[in-house]
Amino acid sequence: MNELEFNIRLYLTGTMKSWTDRIDSTDQQRFIFNAMTDLFESLSDDDLELIRLRYMERLTLSEVASRYFINESTVRHHTNPTIKQVKEIIKQATEQAQHARDDNLI
């Protein structure tokens, strides 16, 4: 499981929220959780369901497409922008954490 899938699964299962609610959660965890909350709340129910099928049920693009009688490019069209945003959220959080570590070394 890659970092992208891991974070999506953590978020959609509610695990990320429970970790972030803990007092010792890091700024990086809070940033990822808050950004993903904003992102996932902005999705339509249909788009969220496509993400759930791909990353929670681990269905292939073909399997998701056949379940909804649509083609794979339609699934990609509805999921890729969200996936790109999740990747960017993870990248930003990682960079912020690295800058914070670097600042503490100075």
Side-chain angles (χ1 to χ4, degrees), residues 70-87:
I70 56 178
N71 60 46
E72 288 181 37
S73 64
T74 302
V75 175
R76 273 192 215 96
H77 174 75
H78 286 274
T79 59
N80 280 358
T82 302
I83 300 312
K84 286 178 184 177
Q85 287 179 299
V86 171
K87 286 179 182 179

Side-chain angles (χ1 to χ4, degrees), residues 3 18 23 40 42 67 74 91-92 98:
E3 186 176 24
S18 67
I23 293 171
F40 280 90
S42 74
R67 184 174 282 193
T74 302
K91 178 182 172 192
Q92 287 177 357
Q98 183 60 46

Side-chain angles (χ1 to χ4, degrees), residues 1-91:
M1 180 180 322
N2 63 34
E3 186 176 24
L4 170 74
E5 183 177 352
F6 179 71
N7 277 282
I8 290 172
R9 291 173 68 86
L10 282 177
Y11 183 83
L12 293 177
T13 61
T15 304
M16 187 179 285
K17 179 175 178 9
S18 67
W19 284 355
T20 305
D21 286 346
R22 291 178 28 196
I23 293 171
D24 63 344
S25 67
T26 65
D27 289 338
Q28 181 182 14
Q29 288 170 321
R30 277 190 214 101
F31 174 83
I32 291 172
F33 175 74
N34 291 337
M36 287 184 70
T37 297
D38 291 344
L39 173 61
F40 280 90
E41 286 179 352
S42 74
L43 296 177
S44 70
D45 290 342
D46 291 338
D47 287 352
L48 187 55
E49 181 60 17
L50 295 176
I51 298 290
R52 285 183 197 279
L53 291 172
R54 286 282 289 135
Y55 292 94
M56 295 300 294
E57 293 189 31
R58 298 180 119 176
L59 299 181
T60 65
L61 285 171
S62 177
E63 291 168 331
V64 173
S66 66
R67 184 174 282 193
Y68 284 95
F69 305 105
I70 56 178
N71 60 46
E72 288 181 37
S73 64
T74 302
V75 175
R76 273 192 215 96
H77 174 75
H78 286 274
T79 59
N80 280 358
T82 302
I83 300 312
K84 286 178 184 177
Q85 287 179 299
V86 171
K87 286 179 182 179
E88 185 61 29
I89 289 167
I90 294 167
K91 178 182 172 192

